[in-house]
Amino acid sequence: MKQIIIALGREFGSGGHVIAKKLAEHYNIPLYNKELLAEIAKDGAYSREMLEHMDEKPVNLAFMPMPLGGSAVSLEQDVAIRQFNFMKKKAEVEKESFVVIGRCADEVLSDNPHLFRVFVLGEKDSKVKRIMEREGINEKQALAKMKKIDKMRKTYHNFYCENKWGDSRGYDLCINTGKIDIDTAVDIIVHCIDEK
């Protein structure tokens, strides 16, 4: 089987994680989201709890360490770089097929000819409804959480990437799950990958 790498960016509440999981199942390939952190934790530099706390977190420039004879790298940057290196190793050295959610994979792996970049977005109402149902919170809480997490994802992505988060020019396909259901979205992505 030829190598398939799917980099899936997503708005919070768009169903991107469900789509990624279904794609991984369809192709019978690993899904890297939080699973990626468990792999990185194996080297012992950071605990899984620390990695989860720093995962896809924007760099806090107010707490940047002072360089001591070299360049300073914040904890957030070190965690991000470890994730980027892990993905590159899986893609380039081990030639593994996988689905990865977020983590700037759309740009980090952009040199790989087998990469397919997807961005999943949604209508505000459909995302809020999905968040309320999934997390058991009210509409106001869901809206606040959606705004906060999307802002964090956008800031994180745009810090490391030239292509802006959610800008259609940085992806091979953008899908609005406010207009189509999750299974149809998966079918469209599969069709595009298989035809590539």
Side-chain angles (χ1 to χ4, degrees):
M1 183 174 113
K2 73 170 189 169
Q3 187 181 32
I4 297 170
I5 301 172
I6 305 168
L8 192 140
R10 74 288 186 219
E11 290 180 343
F12 188 68
S14 65
H17 186 271
V18 176
I19 290 171
K21 190 174 178 195
K22 286 177 179 270
L23 289 167
E25 288 168 358
H26 175 82
Y27 288 108
N28 194 28
I29 57 178
L31 169 63
Y32 292 125
N33 186 23
K34 299 291 183 194
E35 300 82 1
L36 191 141
L37 302 177
E39 292 293 322
I40 293 170
K42 288 179 183 175
D43 75 6
Y46 299 110
S47 69
R48 179 158 180 178
E49 293 75 24
M50 175 60 85
L51 289 168
E52 285 182 8
H53 181 68
M54 291 291 132
D55 187 34
E56 288 194 288
K57 290 287 190 307
V59 173
N60 187 340
L61 296 175
F63 294 103
M64 282 287 288
M66 293 299 291
L68 295 172
S71 62
V73 176
S74 71
L75 183 58
E76 296 95 342
Q77 286 173 297
D78 190 42
V79 170
I81 291 165
R82 286 171 186 271
Q83 292 186 58
F84 301 160
N85 290 339
F86 175 85
M87 290 186 290
K88 285 179 184 176
K89 181 182 174 196
K90 289 290 181 187
E92 296 165 13
V93 178
E94 298 175 16
K95 305 292 186 195
E96 184 178 299
S97 293
F98 56 89
V99 179
V100 62
I101 300 175
R103 292 162 183 84
C104 303
D106 53 295
E107 193 157 314
V108 169
L109 302 174
S110 62
D111 290 339
N112 191 300
H114 305 292
L115 176 69
F116 192 79
R117 303 164 302 166
V118 181
F119 191 80
V120 182
L121 60 146
E123 307 289 312
K124 183 175 91 170
D125 292 345
S126 67
K127 292 189 297 182
V128 167
K129 183 180 177 200
R130 192 176 283 118
I131 295 164
M132 288 168 61
E133 289 171 1
R134 186 182 67 213
E135 304 201 11
I137 56 179
N138 66 36
E139 185 177 353
K140 186 178 177 184
Q141 292 168 318
L143 189 58
K145 189 166 188 176
M146 181 180 76
K147 286 180 180 177
K148 178 185 175 187
I149 291 177
D150 278 348
K151 182 179 179 184
M152 194 169 64
R153 287 177 179 169
K154 181 179 182 178
T155 304
Y156 171 85
H157 186 280
N158 293 351
F159 181 84
Y160 295 104
C161 300
E162 211 171 292
N163 297 325
K164 299 304 177 198
W165 184 78
D167 183 337
S168 62
R169 291 167 291 194
Y171 304 92
D172 301 305
L173 179 67
C174 294
I175 292 195
N176 184 338
T177 55
K179 301 289 186 189
I180 59 172
D181 64 61
I182 298 290
D183 288 333
T184 303
V186 171
D187 290 343
I188 291 169
I189 297 166
V190 166
H191 176 75
C192 291
I193 291 169
D194 291 351
E195 289 296 309
K196 186 178 171 195

